Amino acid sequence: TQLLEQSPQFLSIQEGENLTVYCNSSSVFSSLQWYRQEPGEGPVLLVTVVTGGEVKKLKRLTFQFGDARKDSSLHITAAQTGDTGLYLCAGLFFSGNTGKLIFGQGTTLQVKP
Amino acid sequence: EAGVAQSPRYKIIEKRQSVAFWCNPISGHATLYWYQQILGQGPKLLIQFQNNGVVDDSQLPKDRFSAERLKGVDSTLKIQPAKLEDSAVYLCASSLNEGRYGYTFGSGTRLTVV
């Protein structure tokens, strides 16, 4: 059974601070996807990382996929109040030809002005 | 392109009543998913369709939940009878290519069972 452990579960920081969210598993994934969800809305895809060791940057957000494709991290530089939300990592694996996506528990980020 | 449409946005019912949710995925997306999300947690897959066939319903409580996707497009998820622990947000998503490029989610239906 594939499981994704996400940490921390809650994070409350001041605007301008840096933060890192971790996503860990004992399973290997085909890819790792990061989503952001705001209250009353569905998750929105931020990025997909596919290759072990891959690093992707999206403005102030940096995503990294572990060399063994079992873990990932999201680093936010100089957080802004607009970054507030629920951040979800999700691992894609295949059972036969069927792709399946499992989600971590999420990290609730609050950025205070 | 139009997003994933879901209705209703909110629903309040009494326990033991029935409820149905509707989803219209992005045109051309063969795979459709229903997820249950408890407040503050990650979504949990309930059922996955490929066109109009079920490919995974292992976590669907089949004694009370049912879902169908007629003609491989729209889908409905039904709960009958509802329990208090069914209170959650029900998210519908669709994807291309087995989700390699990510899922597109609807805004969800918030269900409260009282």
Side-chain angles (χ1 to χ4, degrees), chain A residues 33 35 37 40-41 99-100, chain B residues 9 37 48 56 98-99 103:
Chain A
Q33 302 174 8
Y35 292 79
Q37 185 177 20
E41 299 298 327
K100 297 176 185 291
Chain B
R9 286 299 307 270
Q37 186 176 28
Q48 178 173 339
D56 187 355
E98 301 295 332
Y103 289 11

Side-chain angles (χ1 to χ4, degrees), chain A residues 84-99:
Chain A
T84 293
L86 178 67
Y87 288 82
L88 297 159
C89 67
L92 181 70
F93 68 97
F94 284 83
S95 178
N97 292 324
T98 301

Side-chain angles (χ1 to χ4, degrees), chain B residues 25-93:
Chain B
I26 291 177
S27 177
H29 281 195
T31 315
L32 183 148
Y33 318 80
W34 283 102
Y35 280 83
Q36 180 193 59
Q37 186 176 28
I38 305 294
L39 186 64
Q41 296 182 16
K44 183 186 89 170
L45 180 69
L46 291 175
I47 189 167
Q48 178 173 339
F49 292 93
Q50 182 75 17
N51 297 308
N52 61 343
V54 175
V55 295
D56 187 355
D57 63 357
S58 57
Q59 298 196 78
L60 187 74
K62 298 180 187 64
D63 58 332
R64 299 184 300 106
F65 286 64
S66 64
E68 60 181 8
R69 188 183 185 196
L70 298 176
K71 300 181 181 178
V73 182
D74 293 9
S75 177
T76 57
L77 175 70
K78 296 179 182 177
I79 308 175
Q80 182 179 14
K83 291 185 176 181
L84 296 176
E85 59 260 36
D86 297 332
S87 294
V89 174
Y90 291 85
L91 294 164
C92 178

